Amino acid sequence: KLFEKAPGTYDVTIFNAEPRVNYDRIMLSPVLSGEKTFEQIVIHGDGWYVKHGVTLFKGTSITQIDRAAKTVTSARGLTVPYDKLMIATGSLPIIIPVPGHKLAGVLSYRDLDDVQAMLIAAKSKGNAVVIGGGLLGLEAAVGLKEQGMDVTVLHLAPTLMERQLDVPAGSLLQAAIEARGIRVITRANTKAILGEKKAEAVLLDDGTRLPADLVVMAVGIKPNAQLAKDAGITVNRGIVVDETMRTSDPDIFAVGECAESHAQVFGLVAPLYEMAGVIAAQLAGDPTAIFRPSAVATKLKVTGINLFSAGDFADAKDREEIVLRDAARGVYKRLVLKDNKLIGAVMYGDVADGAWFFDLIKKGSEITEMRDTL
C-alpha cells in the first residue's frame, strides 16, 4: 500500500523472525490437508523485495527497540536506524500449562514450521488429539485426518466455534465434522498430557484417557507485545494505538494481531488490511486516514463445509431474529435485527448470500422495506 501511495519516499527494511518470505497464513490449512503447496501460498517472492528495493532479513528477530537512539537491534547483534518504525509481531499461541505440555509431539498451530512438524508426525498415521474446537482447531483436525491420522477434537465449551456460531449451527458443524470420521468431545477439560519423553496420551479431568502421538493446541492467541513493552511503549492486552495506528511513541506504529485499537484486539485478516492501509496513508503524508473497526466475517477453510458468520448474534431483549431451518438439507440461517437494521448473521450449509448480508451489516442499512424478502 505504501509503495502504491508514495513510491520512493522511504527506504524500507523488514526483519522477519521466520526464515522465509511472507506467505498467506490463512492458507496454512490447505497446505496441511495437502490441497496446496507452500509455493502456492507465497504472497511476495524474493523478486518482489528486490523490485521494490526492500532489505529483507530472514530468520532474524528483533530483540530491542531503542527509542532514544531510534534504532532496532536483532538477535544476531545487528543494529539498524529508523525514522519510522512499524511493529507487526502478530500473536503468540496460548499453550495451556497442563502437566506434559512441553513434551515432544505437543505443537501449536501458527506457522509453516508447525505445519511441517504436523506433516512429519502424520506419516506414522497414528493418533492425533486437537485441543480447541475453534476455527484453527477444526481446520487442523480435518487436515490431519486427510493425512491419515485418527483424530479427536477436545473442546471446553458445549458447542463448536461458540464465538462465531450459535448453538444450532454449532451442532450442525459437529455432525459434519463427525461424518468425516473425526471424534468430537465437547465440555472436555484437559488435565494432563502423558508420556515419558514424548506425548503418548491425553488425560481428561473425568478420567478419560485418549491415545495421542501428536497433540495440537489451538485454544487461542494473545498479542505478542513484549518487545514494545520492554521499550516503554504503552501496552494493555496488545500494543495500544490511536486512530492513526500510532503507539504512545508518535514515530512507532503497530499493526495486526499485536495491536489494540478502540480497546479491541483483532484475530481476523480483514481489519488488519484496513490498518495497513491507514499506516501507509499516514506515512505518505495523509493525516486524515483513520482506523475504525467494522464488523468482521468468519469462514471455515474446510472443503465441503460451508459456514459464514458475521456481526453480533448474541441474545438480547431489544433484538428480533429471522431464522430458517432445513435439517434434511443441513441448512440453517439466522439473521439478527435491531432497530430495523441487520446486526448479525449466521449461516450454515448455504452461504451464497453471505457477502450481501455482510454488506448490509457494515453499512447499517435500513431493512424495513425488504423485511418480507429477508
Side-chain angles (χ1 to χ4, degrees):
K1 287 272 197 276
L2 177 62
F3 295 147
E4 284 165 19
K5 285 189 163 74
T9 308
Y10 292 90
D11 275 334
V12 179
T13 303
I14 297 177
F15 286 90
N16 186 15
E18 285 190 60
R20 50 186 75 91
V21 292
N22 80 329
Y23 58 92
D24 190 348
R25 267 176 202 252
I26 300 183
M27 298 309 286
L28 282 171
S29 296
V31 174
L32 178 61
S33 66
E35 291 168 69
K36 283 194 183 320
T37 63
F38 172 68
E39 287 67 37
Q40 288 174 301
I41 70 164
V42 167
I43 298 176
H44 296 132
D46 285 298
W48 183 88
Y49 296 90
V50 175
K51 181 185 164 196
H52 290 93
V54 174
T55 307
L56 172 66
F57 290 97
K58 299 178 194 170
T60 310
S61 58
I62 291 296
T63 52
Q64 190 195 5
I65 298 167
D66 183 333
R67 289 163 52 208
K70 294 185 89 166
T71 60
V72 294
T73 301
S74 78
R76 298 179 184 180
L78 177 68
T79 298
V80 174
Y82 69 82
D83 293 305
K84 301 288 180 192
L85 178 66
M86 186 171 92
I87 305 175
T89 45
S91 56
L92 299 167
I94 293 170
I95 301 294
I96 319 168
V98 292
H101 72 274
K102 288 185 173 166
L103 287 169
V106 180
L107 296 171
S108 57
Y109 181 21
R110 280 306 289 159
D111 57 26
L112 188 72
D113 294 341
D114 295 330
V115 170
Q116 286 171 338
M118 285 187 221
L119 289 171
I120 291 165
K123 285 193 165 74
S124 67
K125 310 285 189 223
N127 296 296
V129 171
V130 176
I131 303 176
L135 267 178
L136 277 180
L138 295 177
E139 289 176 10
V142 171
L144 291 167
K145 181 71 185 172
E146 298 279 318
Q147 295 293 345
M149 295 193 86
D150 276 326
V151 183
T152 302
V153 173
L154 304 178
H155 193 51
L156 196 55
T159 54
L160 295 175
M161 282 183 67
E162 76 286 354
R163 285 193 189 161
Q164 291 91 4
L165 299 179
D166 57 11
V167 174
S171 305
L172 282 169
L173 175 60
Q174 182 170 336
I177 296 286
E178 288 172 336
R180 296 182 172 223
I182 295 169
R183 184 177 175 193
V184 177
I185 305 175
T186 54
R187 296 188 173 89
N189 203 354
T190 304
K191 187 175 181 181
I193 298 166
L194 310 175
E196 289 294 311
K197 287 184 177 161
K198 64 178 206 50
E200 290 165 24
V202 172
L203 180 68
L204 301 185
D205 64 0
D206 65 0
T208 307
R209 186 188 164 116
L210 304 160
D213 306 291
L214 173 67
V215 178
V216 178
M217 291 227 189
V219 293
I221 55 174
K222 58 186 177 207
N224 183 4
Q226 194 61 44
L227 187 64
K229 199 171 184 177
D230 292 344
I233 293 166
T234 306
V235 171
N236 189 16
R237 270 170 73 204
I239 304 167
V240 179
V241 294
D242 63 13
E243 288 187 322
T244 70
M245 300 308 297
R246 281 178 174 83
T247 65
S248 56
D249 182 325
D251 289 322
I252 301 180
F253 296 85
V255 64
E257 293 182 341
C258 67
E260 177 179 328
S261 167
H262 298 77
Q264 276 177 271
V265 289
F266 301 85
L268 293 169
V269 77
L272 312 193
Y273 281 125
E274 288 170 24
M275 290 177 184
V278 170
I279 296 178
Q282 287 286 340
L283 288 171
D286 173 6
T288 63
I290 58 169
F291 173 70
R292 287 228 171 88
S294 56
V296 288
T298 303
K299 278 189 178 130
L300 185 70
K301 284 164 296 301
V302 170
T303 309
I305 296 183
N306 295 313
L307 177 75
F308 177 87
S309 156
D312 177 4
F313 46 84
D315 289 320
K317 283 181 179 162
D318 60 349
R319 296 174 182 187
E320 303 169 82
E321 46 187 61
I322 304 172
V323 180
L324 165 78
R325 282 194 181 120
D326 184 338
R329 275 177 59 224
V331 171
Y332 169 81
K333 299 182 187 185
R334 176 169 165 224
L335 302 178
V336 182
L337 308 176
K338 182 179 175 179
D339 304 329
N340 287 314
K341 287 177 182 163
L342 185 64
I343 61 165
V346 182
M347 294 176 189
Y348 185 90
D350 172 10
V351 297
D353 298 332
W356 185 70
F357 288 126
F358 188 41
D359 199 48
L360 291 178
I361 294 171
K362 281 199 296 194
K363 286 181 178 159
S365 308
E366 173 78 35
I367 56 100
T368 315
E369 303 287 307
M370 53 172 116
R371 180 75 191 237
D372 291 348
T373 319
L374 290 180

